[in-house]
């Protein structure tokens, strides 16, 4: 039942809040467990909190988050209807890429979250999210893996570009939109009429 899921997710967030398993706890302001629906069609998974997320304790609330919000809306969803989280729950100093050790100790939190959420689809945003979910995949570049369905614990995974990358490479937005349309198709949802996807 949804109430049980909410309670289970809260319990994980509390453990994350107290976590000191890697050095990132020393430099974080707040932990960022991820937030949204406890029974979502879609779970969006990013890399790690940035400065805005670290300050607010919420995933994807900075500039990349604003673009993610537009992507979610373009799909006909609201942020509250999906789950939004990250591979890593604490901000790496200077937004560096998380180390393999940090990813290894932090990933079990996301694994537990996904086991509770049981989303119909996972959208992985960027290389770190993809590699965190599928560490054994012979990953080369995002351009090679994006748009091709993968599977995590039986849940379909659609890899696409990270919104922060899309802010720098506007020309890739049409590829990302293709990937999100494939997700809608898989969910049996119509593609909403295009307003302004910029
Ligand atoms: N980038 C991410 O990967 N995650 C966030 O929460 C914010 C920016």
């Amino acid at each position: 039942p949804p109430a049980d899921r909410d309670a289970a997710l809260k319990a994980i967030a509390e453990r994350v809040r107290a976590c000191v398993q890697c050095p990132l706890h020393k430099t974080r302001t707040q932990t960022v467990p991820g937030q949204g629906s406890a029974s979502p069609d879609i779970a969006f998974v990013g890399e790690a909190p940035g400065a805005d997320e670290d300050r607010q304790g919420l995933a994807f609330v900075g500039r990349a988050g604003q673009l993610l919000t537009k992507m979610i809306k373009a799909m006909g969803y609201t942020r509250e209807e999906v789950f939004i989280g990250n591979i890593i729950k604490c901000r790496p100093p200077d937004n560096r890429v998380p180390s393999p050790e940090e990813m290894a100790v932090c990933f079990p939190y996301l694994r537990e979250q996904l086991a509770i959420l049981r989303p119909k689809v996972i959208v992985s945003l960027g290389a770190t999210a993809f590699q965190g979910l599928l560490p054994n995949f012979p990953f080369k570049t995002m351009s090679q893996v994006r748009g091709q369905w993968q599977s995590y614990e039986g849940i379909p995974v659609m890899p696409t570009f990270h919104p922060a990358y899309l802010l720098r490479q506007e020309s890739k937005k049409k590829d990302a939109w293709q990937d999100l349309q494939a997700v809608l198709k898989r969910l049996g949802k119509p593609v909403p009429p295009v307003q302004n996807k910029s």
Side-chain angles (χ1 to χ4, degrees):
D4 295 356
R5 290 192 188 198
D6 277 322
L9 291 169
K10 259 205 187 124
I12 295 172
E14 282 306 314
R15 281 163 44 218
V16 169
R17 199 207 299 271
C19 184
V20 291
Q21 289 188 85
C22 90
L24 297 183
H25 79 273
K26 294 182 208 157
T27 47
R28 75 186 174 213
T29 308
Q30 294 199 64
T31 54
V32 181
Q35 76 277 351
S37 168
S39 45
D41 284 355
I42 310 168
F44 290 88
V45 176
E47 177 172 316
D52 296 291
E53 291 77 18
D54 175 70
R55 219 175 291 126
Q56 296 185 44
L58 295 168
F60 280 101
V61 290
R63 250 185 104 224
Q66 286 166 25
L67 178 54
L68 180 61
T69 303
K70 287 185 187 176
M71 292 159 70
I72 291 166
K73 283 189 180 157
M75 297 176 79
Y77 287 88
T78 65
R79 282 178 67 109
E80 293 70 33
E81 287 170 331
V82 301
F83 184 85
I84 303 172
N86 287 301
I87 296 282
I88 293 278
K89 310 305 192 192
C90 298
R91 182 192 183 200
D94 306 315
N95 299 340
R96 64 163 171 74
V97 175
S99 71
E101 294 75 24
E102 288 158 358
M103 288 171 65
V105 293
C106 204
F107 186 69
Y109 293 123
L110 182 65
R111 187 170 62 215
E112 284 188 53
Q113 288 172 316
L114 291 171
I116 294 160
L117 295 163
R118 279 180 275 122
K120 294 178 186 150
V121 171
I122 296 169
V123 175
S124 70
L125 302 165
T128 302
F130 182 86
Q131 292 175 294
L133 285 165
L134 301 164
N136 295 321
F137 190 94
F139 180 88
K140 290 211 186 85
T141 67
M142 271 316 299
S143 289
Q144 283 180 349
V145 301
R146 65 143 278 267
Q148 298 178 53
W149 287 107
Q150 306 297 335
S151 176
Y152 168 80
E153 302 274 327
I155 304 167
V157 176
M158 175 51 69
T160 195
F161 294 116
H162 194 288
Y165 174 78
L166 295 174
L167 287 171
R168 300 191 301 269
Q169 299 288 331
E170 295 247 339
S171 64
K172 302 288 184 188
K173 282 186 178 178
K174 55 181 180 318
D175 289 339
W177 179 231
Q178 253 188 19
D179 303 341
L180 299 181
Q181 285 178 284
V183 169
L184 290 172
K185 190 169 178 196
R186 180 114 192 189
L187 292 168
K189 300 271 180 179
V191 176
V194 178
Q195 298 125 14
N196 179 2
K197 298 201 309 298
S198 69

